[in-house]
């Protein structure tokens, strides 16, 4: 086998490979010699079929298999011998059709090119120089009281308002409805005896507000425009008409937050309820603290490792992010002008984000590889179980989906790996804890969301998908 490098530009490599016909012929003969002991042909005893006869019958198919196996082995050997790490699968280009026909007939050498996109060598920085500030916020008494009030509101008893009473904001109304678009019923537009809490915002915008003033037994027609992010794209943004009939109206009662209330929720006392609320708030604060610490860490890791990211990986990552951006704008009925930018400027920004994500993914993968950081099957199974529990009633289907789709299962493994690498780096760096208020802890989060700059695609998740580099 003769290998000649014909291109080496940036992260692109291309080689011409020539494989002698004699090598392919030897592969075919070895394959047919194995086949003759198993094949049964009319007129021949088992194991006595001449190889030359098999070659006439199966030769073309055997040569195709030999070519495929030889190309795969040669490509793997080429990559290994040159110490290359691939960013994407190799692209094999065979010679013209007439030459291929000659190879299939055993009358010529196999000549082809293999194009590779490689991952650049990564020189890891000194992670002991990392300096991180960990913001720590503990749930205050005022916060706990506020959360208790919400628990009380969510668990208020409801009582029938009585004959002739009209529904108000905050009331619960049981209704049946039938929706139509252009005079035709649509899937999901009708239901019987549905409980709606007016003002909760759980139904389509404009639906709950038009129930105000209804009485039990009353019917009315309401008109709304289906939202742009409606589940059925054909109906999104279309005007709809709903026929509504009210069955009952209930109004919320008062709740006294005491031991009896706590016991109604399955806890032994008010103190136990307060502790449960505090623990939940502390977990929420800890999660935000972790995200902010991780952002600092990834910013510093990115600054330490500036190199050209493989263009194909960047383009794929950009397309994934860009599709999400466009879908989000459409769902909220906004334009790039509404975001104080242009499409071209936004594309440039998200291309930078995609490049950063790919670089970070490569660096984190390299750190994990050099430090033997692994994700166990048990950890993936635990993540799968948590995912399955998010779909009550569909557990079996979700479980089977992940089992049947390796790339989906890999999507569960990737964030676990990333968090383990982050933990490893935090241990090496210098972390200074700073106690702050809830407002300070959440300040940057609120600012980003308010200004449409939620770069979670950028900071929080490096690229670890099925297109991650392969050795």
């Amino acid at each position: 086998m003769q290998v000649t490098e014909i291109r080496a530009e940036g992260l692109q490599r291309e080689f011409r490979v020539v494989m002698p016909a004699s090598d392919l012929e030897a592969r075919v003969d070895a394959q047919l010699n194995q086949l003759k002991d198993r094949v049964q042909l009319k007129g021949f005893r088992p194991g006595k079929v001449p190889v030359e006869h098999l070659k006439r019958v199966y030769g073309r198919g055997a040569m195709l298999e030999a070519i495929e196996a030889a190309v795969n082995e040669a490509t793997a050997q080429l990559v290994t011998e040159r110490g290359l790490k691939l960013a994407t699968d190799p692209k094999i280009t065979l010679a013209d059709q007439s030459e291929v026909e000659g190879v299939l007939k055993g009358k010529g050498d196999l000549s082809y090119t293999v194009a590779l996109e490689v991952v650049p060598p990564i020189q890891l920085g000194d992670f002991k120089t990392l300096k991180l500030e960990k913001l720590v916020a503990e749930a205050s008494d005022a916060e706990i009281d506020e959360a208790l009030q919400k628990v009380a509101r969510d668990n208020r008893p409801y009582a029938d308002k009585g004959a002739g009473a009209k529904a108000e904001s905050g009331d619960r109304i049981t209704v049946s409805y039938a929706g139509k678009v252009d005079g035709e019923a649509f899937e999901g537009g009708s239901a019987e005896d549905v409980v709606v809490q007016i003002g909760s915002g759980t139904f389509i915008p404009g639906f709950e507000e038009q129930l105000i003033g209804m009485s039990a037994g009353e019917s009315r027609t309401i008109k709304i425009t289906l939202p742009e992010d409606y589940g059925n794209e054909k109906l999104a943004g279309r005007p709809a008409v709903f026929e509504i009939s009210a069955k009952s109206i209930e109004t919320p009662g008062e709740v006294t937050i005491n031991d009896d209330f706590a016991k109604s929720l399955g806890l032994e006392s008010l103190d136990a309820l307060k502790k449960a609320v505090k623990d939940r708030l502390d977990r929420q604060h800890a999660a935000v603290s972790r995200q902010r610490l991780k952002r600092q860490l990834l910013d510093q890791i990115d600054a330490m490792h500036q190199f050209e990211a493989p263009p194909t990986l960047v383009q794929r990552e950009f397309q994934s992010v860009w599709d999400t951006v466009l879908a989000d704008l459409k769902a909220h009925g906004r334009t790039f002008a509404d975001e104080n930018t242009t499409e071209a400027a936004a594309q440039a920004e998200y291309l930078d984000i995609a490049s950063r994500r790919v670089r970070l993914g490569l660096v984190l993968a390299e750190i994990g590889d050099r430090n033997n950081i692994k994700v166990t099957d048990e950890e993936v199974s635990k993540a799968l179980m948590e995912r399955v529990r998010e779909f009550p009633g569909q557990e079996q289907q979700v479980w089977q989906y992940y089992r049947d789709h390796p790339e989906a299962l890999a999507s569960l493994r990737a964030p676990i790996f990333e968090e383990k690498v982050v933990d490893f780096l935090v241990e090496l760096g210098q972390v200074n804890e700073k106690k702050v208020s809830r407002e300070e802890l959440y300040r940057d989060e609120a600012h980003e969301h308010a200004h449409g700059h939620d770069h979670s695609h950028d900071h929080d998740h490096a690229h670890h998908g099925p297109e991650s580099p392969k050795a």
Side-chain angles (χ1 to χ4, degrees):
M1 181 179 71
Q2 181 183 356
V3 179
T4 306
E5 186 173 57
I6 57 177
R7 182 187 178 202
E9 299 175 5
L11 301 179
Q12 309 300 319
R13 303 285 186 275
E14 192 169 350
F15 301 87
R16 178 175 290 111
V17 181
V18 178
M19 198 168 293
S22 57
D23 289 357
L24 295 173
E25 192 74 15
R27 280 178 176 270
V28 172
D29 288 344
Q31 186 175 341
L32 294 178
N33 270 310
Q34 291 179 349
L35 183 63
K36 76 173 185 177
D37 295 328
R38 302 191 305 271
V39 73
Q40 292 187 10
L41 292 179
K42 189 175 181 180
F44 295 96
R45 286 181 294 154
K48 299 299 182 180
V49 183
V51 171
E52 287 303 317
H53 184 74
L54 289 175
K55 190 173 290 187
R56 285 192 293 273
V57 177
Y58 299 110
R60 186 179 180 87
M63 180 60 80
L64 283 170
E65 291 182 12
I67 289 173
E68 182 179 7
V71 168
N72 288 340
E73 290 177 18
T75 302
Q77 180 182 340
L78 182 157
V79 170
T80 301
E81 287 180 351
R82 285 165 173 74
L84 302 176
K85 187 175 286 188
L86 301 188
T88 59
D89 290 332
K91 181 179 179 182
I92 308 296
T93 305
L94 296 176
D96 62 69
Q97 188 61 34
S98 61
E99 187 173 334
V100 171
E101 284 299 321
V103 173
L104 290 173
K105 294 174 181 177
K107 296 180 180 179
D109 296 339
L110 174 65
S111 174
Y112 65 93
T113 60
V114 53
L116 308 173
E117 186 168 285
V118 302
V119 174
I122 298 174
Q123 183 68 39
L124 296 180
D126 181 4
F127 303 124
K128 292 182 180 178
T129 64
L130 292 170
K131 294 184 178 180
L132 306 168
E133 183 176 67
K134 181 179 180 180
L135 304 182
V136 180
E138 186 175 348
S140 66
D141 290 343
E143 234 183 305
I144 296 170
D145 287 342
E146 180 185 332
L148 281 173
Q149 293 297 331
K150 184 179 186 307
V151 171
R153 286 195 304 274
D154 292 342
N155 289 276
R156 290 176 295 181
Y158 281 77
D160 190 271
K161 290 189 80 167
K166 297 186 179 299
E168 302 174 82
S169 181
D171 287 347
R172 287 198 319 203
I173 179 170
T174 301
V175 299
S176 295
Y177 57 84
K180 293 182 179 181
V181 172
D182 292 337
E184 292 191 9
F186 58 94
E187 185 179 357
S190 301
E192 297 288 331
D193 295 339
V194 176
V195 177
V196 182
Q197 182 173 353
I198 300 175
S200 65
T202 54
F203 278 70
I204 295 170
F207 188 94
E208 296 172 17
E209 294 82 353
Q210 295 188 62
L211 303 181
I212 292 174
M214 289 191 76
S215 302
E218 180 184 343
S219 296
R220 69 168 53 169
T221 301
I222 67 172
K223 297 179 180 180
I224 61 173
T225 299
L226 298 176
E228 293 292 340
D229 59 350
Y230 191 71
N232 186 332
E233 289 187 3
K234 294 180 179 179
L235 299 177
R238 301 279 300 279
V241 176
F242 286 85
E243 299 295 336
I244 311 285
S245 60
K247 185 174 183 179
S248 64
I249 315 291
E250 297 175 299
T251 190
E254 294 298 321
V255 171
T256 301
I257 302 175
N258 54 19
D259 287 341
D260 288 338
F261 175 65
K263 289 175 182 177
S264 73
L265 299 177
L267 296 166
E268 60 186 23
S269 66
L270 178 57
D271 285 342
L273 175 58
K274 288 181 177 180
K275 183 179 184 306
V277 168
K278 182 181 186 305
D279 289 345
R280 176 173 58 81
L281 291 171
D282 284 342
R283 286 194 300 271
Q284 291 173 355
H285 295 350
V288 174
S289 174
R290 165 76 175 191
Q291 283 301 100
R292 295 195 59 174
L293 181 71
K294 182 178 174 181
R295 289 182 183 187
Q296 291 178 54
L297 173 68
L298 294 183
D299 283 344
Q300 293 185 42
I301 293 297
D302 183 50
M304 282 182 179
H305 305 90
Q306 290 294 308
F307 55 86
E308 180 189 2
T312 301
L313 291 185
V314 172
Q315 186 57 39
R316 289 173 182 168
E317 190 66 26
F318 165 76
Q319 197 59 54
S320 174
V321 174
W322 188 246
D323 289 345
T324 301
V325 170
L326 294 181
D328 187 60
L329 286 174
K330 181 180 178 181
H332 292 88
R334 295 179 66 81
T335 66
F336 289 105
D338 293 328
E339 301 292 329
N340 295 318
T341 187
T342 64
E343 183 171 355
Q347 283 184 333
E349 177 186 3
Y350 284 102
L351 190 60
D352 286 343
I353 287 173
S355 179
R356 169 192 162 101
R357 288 186 67 183
V358 171
R359 281 199 316 275
L360 283 171
L362 294 174
V363 172
L364 296 183
E366 187 74 13
I367 294 169
D369 185 50
R370 293 194 196 182
N371 294 280
N372 199 33
I373 298 173
K374 306 290 184 184
V375 177
T376 66
D377 290 341
E378 183 181 352
E379 288 170 326
V380 175
S381 294
K382 181 180 177 182
L384 177 55
M385 289 302 297
E386 291 174 354
R387 182 66 172 154
V388 165
R389 280 195 288 267
E390 294 176 13
F391 298 88
Q394 305 177 53
E395 291 88 350
Q396 186 59 42
Q397 297 96 309
V398 175
W399 178 273
Q400 197 59 47
Y401 172 80
Y402 277 94
R403 288 302 181 189
D404 292 343
H405 295 79
E407 71 281 3
L409 205 58
S411 72
L412 297 178
R413 183 181 295 270
I416 300 172
F417 172 81
E418 183 170 305
E419 292 303 319
K420 294 181 84 165
V421 176
V422 167
D423 286 338
F424 172 79
L425 294 172
V426 169
E427 285 292 324
L428 287 179
Q430 305 169 47
V431 181
N432 175 50
E433 287 196 359
K434 178 184 177 183
K435 289 188 176 183
V436 297
S437 65
R438 176 182 66 171
E439 290 71 26
E440 185 174 351
L441 176 64
Y442 286 84
R443 184 175 298 143
D444 286 351
E445 298 280 326
H447 177 78
E448 286 193 351
H449 285 290
H451 290 78
H453 296 302
D454 180 9
H455 290 173
S456 57
H457 294 292
D458 176 18
H459 293 281
D460 297 341
H461 299 288
H463 172 96
H464 289 295
E467 304 295 341
S468 290
K470 302 173 258 306

